[in-house]
């Protein structure tokens, strides 16, 4: 389970169940387990500080690489 955080202000955004060893390029909405501080404006998902962390693509969120950090473990 990964905890996704804003790269700008270090605020927790959400908990995500990552499957596989690769990079976090997309967050599937069905695997988001708990939302802490993530808001949607138009098609952009943003932190409360205004940092855009991803774009809504329907079933998943396309993540912006430099906009977030994460802690936790990935499931193989």
């Amino acid at each position: 389970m990964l905890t996704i955080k804003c790269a700008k202000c270090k605020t927790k955004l959400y908990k995500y169940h990552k499957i596989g060893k690769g990079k976090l390029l997309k967050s599937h909405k069905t695997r988001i387990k708990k939302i802490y501080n993530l808001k949607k404006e138009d098609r952009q998902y943003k932190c409360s500080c205004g940092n855009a962390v991803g774009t809504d693509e329907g079933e998943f969120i396309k993540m912006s690489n430099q906009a977030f950090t994460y802690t936790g473990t990935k499931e193989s």
Side-chain angles (χ1 to χ4, degrees):
M1 190 74 71
L2 299 179
T3 302
I4 311 299
K5 298 178 183 178
C6 176
K8 194 173 182 180
C9 68
K10 307 295 185 219
T11 302
K12 286 183 185 178
L13 298 174
Y14 59 93
K15 282 209 175 274
Y16 182 70
H17 184 235
K18 170 78 169 110
I19 299 173
K21 295 181 182 180
K23 293 181 181 180
L24 185 62
L25 303 174
K26 302 178 194 175
S27 288
H28 294 271
K29 292 178 183 177
T30 56
R31 294 187 197 159
I32 295 175
K33 301 301 177 190
K34 184 173 183 178
I35 296 176
Y36 295 108
N37 191 14
L38 187 68
K39 57 185 175 181
K40 184 178 178 184
E41 294 178 7
D42 298 321
R43 290 187 60 216
Q44 293 287 322
Y45 281 95
K46 296 184 177 184
C47 176
S48 61
C49 71
N51 185 25
V53 294
T55 307
D56 188 4
E57 297 291 334
E59 294 183 17
F60 61 89
I61 301 168
K62 183 177 179 185
M63 303 300 289
S64 300
N65 288 341
Q66 304 299 317
F68 71 96
T69 60
Y70 62 86
T71 58
T73 57
K74 300 175 183 176
E75 186 178 307
S76 302

